[in-house]
Amino acid sequence: MAEHQDADFEMEAGGDAGASTTYPMQCSALRKNGFVVIKNRPCKIVDMSTSKTGKHGHAKVHLVALDIFTGKKLEDLSPSTHNMDVPVVRRQEYTLIDISDDGFLSLMTADGDLKDDVKLPDGEVGEKINKLFKEEEKDTLVTVQTAMGEEAAIDAKEGTK
């Protein structure tokens, strides 16, 4: 599995990572709190139920999931024997160096490389990052979640010196 994730990262750096950002999984093997792709969006499953159908029908799986980037609720109904795509979701922590005037975070990786293409999120997470970094002037660690070529800051916490 570790080699696969490295290969995945190399492809993303190349820019065209359409197919390698997901893997197939049978519907019946999906679990609550797991991830799934619905309508081309990476989602976290919040509820699922299986219904048995008539004499010659297939059992169907009803999924309710939230988009991991927008929080939008999406639903899907599909036969339990069918495969669905599961997004490869990665989380990584970065040290916050600065917040630019146009709302982008200047982050440093563990290797010391700079990453400055992640936007300061709106809402609670953005406020938390601002408060820790600007008001309290703490060392701030920002957690960035990546899936299907998209990424967003999803959490922040005080770093240790």
Side-chain angles (χ1 to χ4, degrees):
M1 187 77 189
E3 292 115 34
H4 172 70
Q5 283 182 327
D6 290 345
D8 198 20
F9 178 73
E10 299 304 331
M11 296 234 356
E12 275 181 38
D16 184 29
S20 67
T21 57
T22 62
Y23 58 93
M25 187 186 275
Q26 193 168 328
C27 259
S28 55
L30 294 169
R31 294 288 170 257
K32 193 173 174 179
N33 292 331
F35 296 104
V36 69
V37 177
I38 298 177
K39 296 186 179 101
N40 260 344
R41 299 291 305 155
C43 299
K44 183 174 186 169
I45 301 168
V46 289
D47 191 33
M48 62 186 295
S49 56
T50 309
S51 60
K52 303 240 183 290
T53 53
K55 211 162 29 172
H56 301 292
H58 294 277
K60 290 227 185 335
V61 177
H62 178 237
L63 295 170
V64 179
L66 298 177
D67 186 309
I68 61 175
F69 293 116
T70 65
K72 194 172 155 200
K73 185 173 168 182
L74 295 164
E75 296 189 41
D76 191 69
L77 189 66
S78 78
S80 62
T81 52
H82 283 207
N83 278 349
M84 287 192 76
D85 285 333
V86 176
V88 176
V89 177
R90 282 201 320 249
R91 288 175 178 215
Q92 215 167 347
E93 277 193 346
Y94 298 96
T95 306
L96 182 59
I97 306 296
D98 195 19
I99 300 173
S100 69
D101 296 335
D102 57 358
F104 281 88
L105 303 175
S106 200
L107 304 167
M108 189 168 68
T109 65
D111 308 334
D113 297 330
L114 276 182
K115 173 174 182 53
D116 46 20
D117 55 355
V118 179
K119 225 172 160 32
L120 178 69
D122 299 330
E124 210 176 297
V125 178
E127 288 166 19
K128 187 175 175 183
I129 293 171
N130 257 327
K131 183 170 185 266
L132 279 169
F133 188 71
K134 289 192 168 161
E135 292 171 29
E136 299 175 13
E137 295 182 9
K138 300 260 188 350
D139 278 349
T140 308
L141 288 178
V142 176
T143 305
V144 175
Q145 182 165 269
T146 310
M148 296 173 67
E150 266 187 79
E151 55 187 8
I154 56 162
D155 196 18
K157 64 182 182 191
E158 189 180 330
T160 52
K161 285 206 188 268

